[in-house]
Amino acid sequence: MAIIGIPSNHLNHPNPKHRTNYVDYTQQNYTAALREAGALPVVFPMGSPEEAAEYVNSVDAVLLIGGQDVGPLFYGEDPTPQMGETDRQRDLFELAIGRRGT
């Protein structure tokens, strides 16, 4: 059985349900689809770029899920008014995961 890592997303803002408890999460449809395909999903809590290699080394593959926009400065562009919310910590973590996979 393949073990597939899913880097989590996280709530960047407190909300009435979680108050000031910031939550790492993934949508159930991702884990359900991996299970249905015969894989074992493992959710990575949001971490530092330095932790990325350890996470990647612990699984057979990684599934990057949707979420906030990627910060345009990471690919040499300027922010635009049409851009949605970004998450610098998530971008740094997922870029480090991607680099580890190369």
Side-chain angles (χ1 to χ4, degrees):
M1 178 180 294
I3 301 172
I4 310 298
I6 305 172
S8 67
N9 197 346
H10 64 218
L11 296 177
N12 290 323
H13 310 286
N15 66 47
K17 183 174 183 172
H18 299 289
R19 302 192 186 274
T20 59
N21 293 319
Y22 297 93
V23 176
D24 284 350
Y25 69 93
T26 189
Q27 293 172 311
Q28 290 179 350
N29 59 332
Y30 293 113
T31 56
L34 289 171
R35 285 185 179 111
E36 188 174 313
L40 179 67
V42 176
V43 179
F44 302 158
M46 187 71 60
S48 70
E50 294 76 25
E51 295 171 328
E54 293 297 323
Y55 282 118
V56 173
N57 289 337
S58 71
V59 297
D60 298 308
V62 174
L63 172 64
L64 297 177
I65 61 174
Q68 298 90 350
D69 290 346
V70 175
L73 298 177
F74 286 106
Y75 51 89
E77 297 292 328
D78 292 322
T80 66
Q82 299 81 13
M83 173 176 96
E85 182 176 44
T86 63
D87 183 337
R88 181 173 173 75
Q89 179 185 359
R90 182 176 181 193
D91 289 346
L92 290 169
F93 183 57
E94 289 188 352
L95 285 168
I97 284 173
R99 282 189 211 102
R100 180 65 183 117
T102 60

